[in-house]
Amino acid sequence: MANDHIDITVEPGEVHALLGENGAGKSTLMNQLYGLLQPDEGEFLVDGRPRTFRSPRDAIAAGIGMVHQHFMLVPVFTVAENVALGAERTRGGVAGWLDRRRVRREVVEVSERYGLPVDPDALVENLPVGAQQRVEIVKALTRDVDLLILDEPTAVLTPQETDELLTVMRSLTESGKSIVFITHKLKEVKAIADRITVIRRGRTVGTATPETPEDELAALMVGRDVTLEVGKAASQPGREVLTVTGLIVEDDRGVRAVNGVDLSVRAGEVLGIAGVQGNGQTELVEALMGLRAARAGAVTVDGEDLLGMSTKQILRSGVGYVPEDRSLDGVVKEFTVAENLVLDTYDRAPYGNAVKLNPAAIAAAARERVEQFDIRTSSPDAPVSTLSGGNQQKVVVAREMSRPLRLFIAAQPTRGVDVGSIEFIHGRIVRERDSGAAVLVVSSELDEVVALADRVAVMYRGRVLAVVDPQTPREELGLLMAGVTPGADKPADGVTPGAGEPADGAEEEPK
Amino acid sequence: MSSDPSVEAPREDEAASPDDAAAAPTAGPGGSLASNFLHNLWSANTVVVTIWSIVLAMVIGAVLIVVSDSDVLAMFGYFTARPSDALTGSWDLISGAYADLFKGAVFDPATMSAWLHGTGSWRAAFAPISETLTYAAPLVFTGLSVALAFRGGLFNIGGQGQAVIGTITGAVAGFAFGLPVVLNLVVALICGALGGALWGFIPGILKARTGAHEVIVTIMLNNTAALFLTWLILQDGVQDPKRTDAISKTVAESAQLPSFGGALRVNLGIVLAVAVTAGVAWLLNRSSFGFELRAVGANPAAARTAGISVARTYTLLMVVAGGLAGLGGATQVLGTAYALTPAVAGNIGFDGLLVALLGRNRPWGTLLAAILFGALRAGGNRMQSFSGISLELVTVLQALIVIFIAAPALVKAIFQLRAARTARIGATMTKGW
């Protein structure tokens, strides 16, 4: 059950923040309101009248609009075409043609009225993420909505873009629109919300005002006093294991996503890579794992050259890898838990050889891992798709940690994972470090990077801007993530000549 | 109807496959066999949907039989005056037709009892089943070819072309080499498999290297193979010197698949088919390559991330799939045809697609589906000559069965089956695209 008897009221002209962790049921609630899911029980009242929403069409008719976490735009359409999509207006009767002029006019009008600069003729695929989001908002506003649902709108934005969004939200509420702002980021809530409803495990656990202190909100959200700290001893860095020098990697469109990265990770330490998503982290890790060709540079593990090795060889040489997109790259959903646990070791003793598998050994190992890693499953033979996200992630982590590792690379290791599993996975990562492996953690959650890392490298537009201590003040880290280096007062665009198109956001993959 | 046991079986045979978990009986251990059966009869698992699809196809087939018979149709003209005429007329027609279908495919009680009473021959008694298995054998291979490729995420429409090349290489090896007894047959079969494998390798390597869609490439290669065959038959050294029409030399007797008992057509091909089915089942579920191909088929991105070479898997998979279809072609030419003609491979490649679909892309399911198709074909021959119903009706029946299987929601709605995971059946079939 994702939602269990939730009560929530949104007043006209207010920003109502829906605060809760990943998987708390925030999005589920809003998807019901928007007609994408049907509630089993309970009702929605709009202006005092009960309404049922069988589809988004009903919701829009009732004046409710939604901007999804993952944008619902057609990349090859222009902004105006995307805005028109779903509410196309035609001229000339039944066999009419699209009234593009009118849509354009509407787009311009709405964007001027609410301070949302968008070019109606730009192709959506060429727009950075922040602009795509504005298109989504404009689209909702042209439908004359009174209530706008923003589902985790800041997850993909730089701090600056986030500020711009908050300004837009203010101008919207000033003109009488209500906003439901779904997030798990406390600072933003405090900055913009008029009222806060905290949701935990599908229940409303409290309402709060923006004056409530942050740690109190965090405690409400998680259900106990949270220590964002990960219990770990000081690191004992040993030999240099991973060395990356001058690495250049192109993304799928041939743009340099990684533009000359130098890194080194020592045995027994965790290097965290912080940065807003889409600044080359994905491509960096894929290049390290042999999943993406590098244009230039060198990558060595204990002196062995990784570039040019196949993924299989890299994995065999003692590198463990947790990919950032679990459902796409991490697990084969149709496979059983046991099969997923040997996905990259199925042809090695004792699980099998080049010719055949050894089902008995695979089953025995699966039972052991399920136990060790506390994987909650009905059976090792259950399809992995029947597991929760957190447990699927534990399967991936268990698989990668089941062999001796020199280097452990974890990208977004706790994305979409429940709190219990987060703690467990973090604990395991630290344990891997303490056993002498070099660990590279990439995360767009700054909290996670800071909690896990012994050193933090901040990536911006394909470059490592700085490697800093995790104790560095948040403001400074935030500025670095936005491309502002200490001492300089403007973004570091100028220092990356030849970086091609802006890297941020454009390579966001649709989920 | 022979189909009921045939579709039941895949469940026991491949308990390891995750899909089967969905199809497994849900009744408690205390339930008797009968209550278990009744419980499952109305739950919408794959087996039940298959059975009901066949039933539904036969019902519609019955309507078509009546509609296409002018005498019975005339009786419906005065239905209100004497409804019994029309009803008994229809019933006689339908039951007669389906009885002939059964007699032609499984056994005929008359010949069977004649044999038991010593007045008839055992050959006559077993002729129907022999025909069924004869038609089934090549379909098993082409069906396995499609099924295996599909489990690896490839839609092998090229079974036909691969089978045609298999008939060519098999037959040529059969009449050209003149090897000693056992060896000649073995070499001919291997040549058939290699020919098909080569024809599968082409789309495989193109897919792996360039991303060329295997559906397009294999369709083109089907035409290429068919035209190559028609050209080749007329060439010196291939064409039968004593003939002027398009037929090749006859395969040496030592390279022909031995039939059982002389008069029956059924031959070693069906035994080979069962053995190969077992081999494919092992390959799929117990071998490292099977693990790779299933992983690539289900989620190529995750397979690649785990270090499995997707390109290598695609290529190898098409080679194996092509080899299977080629073996099917070789079985056809070495088992029943004995010489190349432009239509020697018939439609076995395309029928293999339907067989794999009906068998849910599982090896043993495919075997049973091929036997069902063989039975329909064998029974259809008798239905045509005894009841005067066109053989095309059988094709319509096959098509209807497949349509209902491909649209499980329809079957579910018609029979009000309890909700189960039937949606997956349809979903898996369209994934190749």
Side-chain angles (χ1 to χ4, degrees):
Chain A
M1 194 183 301
N3 282 169
D4 188 2
H5 297 99
I6 289 190
D7 300 309
I8 176 170
T9 314
V10 184
E11 303 290 339
E14 79 165 353
V15 175
H16 194 123
L18 213 50
L19 187 66
E21 287 188 291
N22 288 329
K26 308 177 299 265
S27 297
T28 312
L29 176 65
M30 287 304 127
N31 283 335
Q32 290 170 36
L33 183 53
Y34 194 55
L36 291 169
L37 296 171
Q38 308 304 325
D40 300 323
E41 224 179 89
E43 57 179 357
F44 295 108
L45 303 169
V46 178
D47 296 332
R49 276 176 307 159
R51 301 291 291 256
T52 48
F53 305 118
R54 299 244 160 268
S55 73
R57 204 173 277 273
D58 297 347
I60 292 167
I64 298 172
M66 182 161 181
V67 175
H68 296 268
Q69 192 171 352
H70 304 298
F71 305 145
M72 310 283 180
L73 297 171
V74 182
V76 294
F77 278 15
T78 66
V79 169
E81 282 167 340
N82 267 291
V83 168
L85 192 65
E88 301 86 354
R89 267 180 274 242
T90 52
R91 279 164 60 163
V94 186
W97 60 93
L98 284 175
D99 192 348
R100 289 167 197 272
R101 268 224 301 266
R102 186 156 150 202
V103 178
R104 278 203 67 219
R105 207 168 52 232
E106 273 182 358
V107 170
V108 173
E109 220 173 78
V110 168
S111 70
E112 275 171 9
R113 191 182 331 151
Y114 300 103
L116 285 158
V118 287
D119 171 8
D121 301 318
L123 282 182
V124 161
E125 61 184 351
N126 296 335
L127 295 177
V129 178
Q132 291 191 19
Q133 190 170 55
R134 289 199 292 275
V135 175
E136 283 272 21
I137 297 174
V138 167
K139 180 169 179 167
L141 291 174
T142 55
R143 308 278 196 279
D144 279 331
V145 298
D146 302 315
L147 173 66
L148 191 61
I149 306 167
L150 301 176
D151 189 358
E152 303 257 5
T154 58
V156 289
L157 302 183
T158 62
Q160 278 69 22
E161 286 175 317
T162 304
D163 288 344
E164 282 167 28
L165 178 68
L166 296 185
T167 316
V168 169
M169 287 167 70
R170 274 187 207 103
S171 83
L172 286 173
T173 50
E174 272 160 26
S175 57
K177 311 272 183 208
S178 312
I179 294 176
V180 174
F181 178 39
I182 303 178
T183 186
H184 60 265
K185 294 184 182 164
L186 300 172
K187 286 191 188 68
E188 292 159 10
V189 166
K190 285 179 67 72
I192 186 88
D194 298 309
R195 261 196 307 161
I196 302 165
T197 297
V198 184
I199 293 184
R200 186 172 72 232
R201 300 205 176 167
R203 289 169 182 272
T204 7
V205 290
T207 49
T209 57
E211 287 75 43
T212 318
E214 255 180 58
D215 50 351
E216 216 168 283
L217 283 175
L220 259 181
M221 196 164 97
V222 185
R224 60 195 152 85
D225 292 335
V226 274
T227 46
L228 292 172
E229 300 290 306
V230 174
K232 59 174 180 159
S235 65
Q236 309 280 329
R239 68 183 197 286
E240 201 165 79
V241 175
L242 173 72
T243 325
V244 178
T245 39
L247 189 67
I248 294 175
V249 186
E250 287 177 357
D251 67 9
D252 294 333
R253 298 169 309 158
V255 175
R256 282 187 181 186
V258 176
N259 195 11
V261 161
D262 302 302
L263 282 177
S264 81
V265 190
R266 294 177 172 278
E269 77 162 354
V270 178
L271 177 71
I273 295 188
V276 177
Q277 226 181 321
N279 274 293
Q281 301 97 314
T282 306
E283 287 78 9
L284 169 67
V285 170
E286 285 180 353
L288 296 185
M289 290 312 299
L291 294 166
R292 185 178 285 279
R295 295 287 293 179
V299 178
T300 58
V301 167
D302 283 338
E304 255 180 280
D305 192 6
L306 278 200
L307 296 183
M309 275 196 196
S310 71
T311 306
K312 183 161 256 177
Q313 287 166 324
I314 293 172
L315 289 165
R316 291 223 172 134
S317 72
V319 179
Y321 174 47
V322 176
E324 67 173 30
D325 191 334
R326 171 178 58 249
S327 54
L328 188 65
D329 300 322
V331 294
V332 177
K333 288 217 163 109
E334 289 85 345
F335 273 23
T336 64
V337 172
E339 285 175 314
N340 270 294
L341 281 167
V342 294
L343 200 60
D344 52 12
T345 46
Y346 63 93
D347 56 352
R348 304 184 75 188
Y351 310 120
N353 55 39
V355 179
K356 64 181 181 64
L357 306 173
N358 181 351
I362 292 173
R367 279 194 298 275
E368 201 179 307
R369 300 285 173 265
V370 165
E371 178 91 6
Q372 266 178 355
F373 285 81
D374 190 30
I375 298 166
R376 311 271 167 86
T377 172
S378 55
S379 142
D381 295 324
V384 83
S385 56
T386 60
L387 272 59
S388 73
N391 281 298
Q392 291 186 17
Q393 187 72 347
K394 282 192 215 163
V395 170
V396 178
V397 171
R399 173 176 82 215
E400 296 306 310
M401 287 188 176
S402 300
R403 51 204 153 91
L405 296 180
R406 290 188 288 179
L407 173 64
F408 180 70
I409 300 177
Q412 316 290 357
T414 58
R415 178 181 283 176
V417 165
D418 58 287
V419 196
S421 304
I422 290 179
E423 283 192 326
F424 185 89
I425 291 168
H426 282 173
R428 280 285 171 167
I429 290 175
V430 172
R431 212 159 110 183
E432 201 63 38
R433 175 200 80 165
D434 292 342
S435 71
V439 179
L440 183 69
V441 173
V442 180
S443 177
S444 53
E445 298 292 328
L446 190 53
D447 291 337
E448 176 164 55
V449 173
V450 167
L452 278 174
D454 301 308
R455 289 188 299 140
V456 177
V458 182
M459 268 190 91
Y460 177 76
R461 297 206 169 174
R463 293 204 161 186
V464 172
L465 275 196
V467 179
V468 297
D469 189 89
Q471 306 303 325
T472 311
R474 287 299 172 91
E475 296 71 46
E476 206 172 301
L477 282 172
L479 282 172
L480 278 171
M481 284 167 71
V484 182
T485 40
D489 54 3
K490 58 177 180 135
D493 288 5
V495 304
T496 57
E501 294 173 44
D504 50 334
E507 44 284 314
E508 271 314 300
E509 283 161 42
K511 294 284 148 54
Chain B
M1 178 86 208
S2 66
S3 57
D4 288 35
S6 70
V7 275
E8 279 288 343
R11 193 158 74 208
E12 286 107 60
D13 290 315
E14 284 187 276
S17 167
D19 277 29
D20 287 302
T26 45
S32 70
L33 202 66
S35 76
N36 243 329
F37 176 75
L38 281 176
H39 179 89
N40 280 300
L41 196 60
W42 298 109
S43 74
N45 63 43
T46 56
V47 175
V48 170
V49 170
T50 307
I51 294 170
W52 285 120
S53 298
I54 293 166
V55 171
L56 215 51
M58 296 198 72
V59 169
I60 295 178
V63 173
L64 292 176
I65 290 172
V66 171
V67 169
S68 59
D69 189 294
S70 52
D71 292 348
V72 177
L73 215 53
M75 294 181 194
F76 276 92
Y78 54 92
F79 185 80
T80 42
R82 276 168 54 200
S84 62
D85 266 19
L87 293 179
T88 44
S90 313
W91 173 253
D92 290 347
L93 185 66
I94 296 162
S95 58
Y98 283 146
D100 277 327
L101 188 68
F102 180 80
K103 286 175 193 168
V106 189
F107 75 93
D108 181 351
T111 55
M112 188 57 83
S113 71
W115 171 53
L116 291 174
H117 288 96
T119 52
S121 74
W122 65 270
R123 283 177 188 151
F126 286 104
I129 201 90
S130 153
E131 285 302 292
T132 293
L133 295 178
T134 306
Y135 283 119
L139 295 183
V140 175
F141 293 104
T142 52
L144 286 173
S145 167
V146 175
L148 189 70
F150 200 88
R151 293 293 287 272
L154 296 178
F155 219 152
N156 181 20
I157 308 287
Q160 185 70 27
Q162 292 146 15
V164 166
I165 297 295
T167 61
I168 293 173
T169 49
V172 170
F175 63 66
F177 294 168
L179 296 166
V181 189
V182 180
L183 195 63
N184 208 0
L185 175 60
V186 172
V187 168
L189 285 172
I190 290 175
C191 283
L194 287 178
L198 172 73
W199 222 241
F201 172 75
I202 299 168
I205 191 83
L206 288 178
K207 168 98 177 175
R209 286 286 166 83
T210 68
H213 203 295
E214 74 278 5
V215 168
I216 310 296
V217 178
T218 50
I219 287 174
M220 293 304 140
L221 286 176
N222 283 344
N223 291 332
T224 312
L227 293 171
F228 177 62
L229 173 65
T230 34
W231 173 83
L232 186 78
I233 292 173
L234 295 171
Q235 302 313 302
D236 287 342
V238 177
Q239 192 182 15
D240 189 336
K242 295 185 285 293
R243 303 277 292 262
T244 52
D245 55 342
I247 189 162
S248 77
K249 293 181 199 164
T250 306
V251 169
E253 209 153 305
S254 60
Q256 293 176 2
L257 284 162
S259 63
F260 305 115
L264 292 180
R265 286 215 301 158
V266 69
N267 55 60
L268 203 58
I270 188 70
V271 177
L272 194 64
V274 174
V276 168
T277 305
V280 170
W282 179 87
L283 182 79
L284 204 47
N285 294 315
R286 290 281 177 266
S287 75
S288 298
F289 177 61
F291 188 91
E292 286 166 4
L293 82 87
R294 282 185 293 125
V296 169
N299 184 347
R304 179 164 170 266
T305 306
I308 296 168
S309 166
V310 176
R312 177 181 161 274
T313 306
Y314 279 156
T315 312
L316 198 52
L317 178 57
M318 280 308 292
V319 166
V320 176
L324 285 169
L327 205 51
T331 318
Q332 176 93 338
V333 76
L334 303 175
T336 51
Y338 303 136
L340 293 173
T341 59
V344 65
N347 222 14
I348 57 171
F350 294 121
D351 284 348
L353 283 169
L354 305 185
V355 164
L357 183 75
L358 183 58
R360 311 257 186 241
N361 298 312
R362 314 263 173 69
W364 294 108
T366 301
L367 175 77
L368 296 169
I371 291 172
L372 175 65
F373 269 49
L376 285 172
R377 178 67 208 277
N381 283 345
R382 184 183 164 115
M383 196 161 72
Q384 183 169 35
S385 46
F386 282 64
S387 307
I389 289 158
S390 157
L391 191 61
E392 271 66 47
L393 180 77
V394 165
T395 318
V396 172
L397 277 183
Q398 292 176 342
L400 284 171
I401 294 172
V402 170
I403 287 173
F404 287 125
I405 294 228
L410 186 64
V411 176
K412 221 171 79 181
I414 291 172
F415 293 102
Q416 297 290 308
L417 301 178
R418 275 195 312 277
R421 301 163 68 184
T422 40
R424 297 179 58 144
I425 309 167
T428 47
M429 284 319 299
T430 48
K431 221 166 90 179
W433 298 82

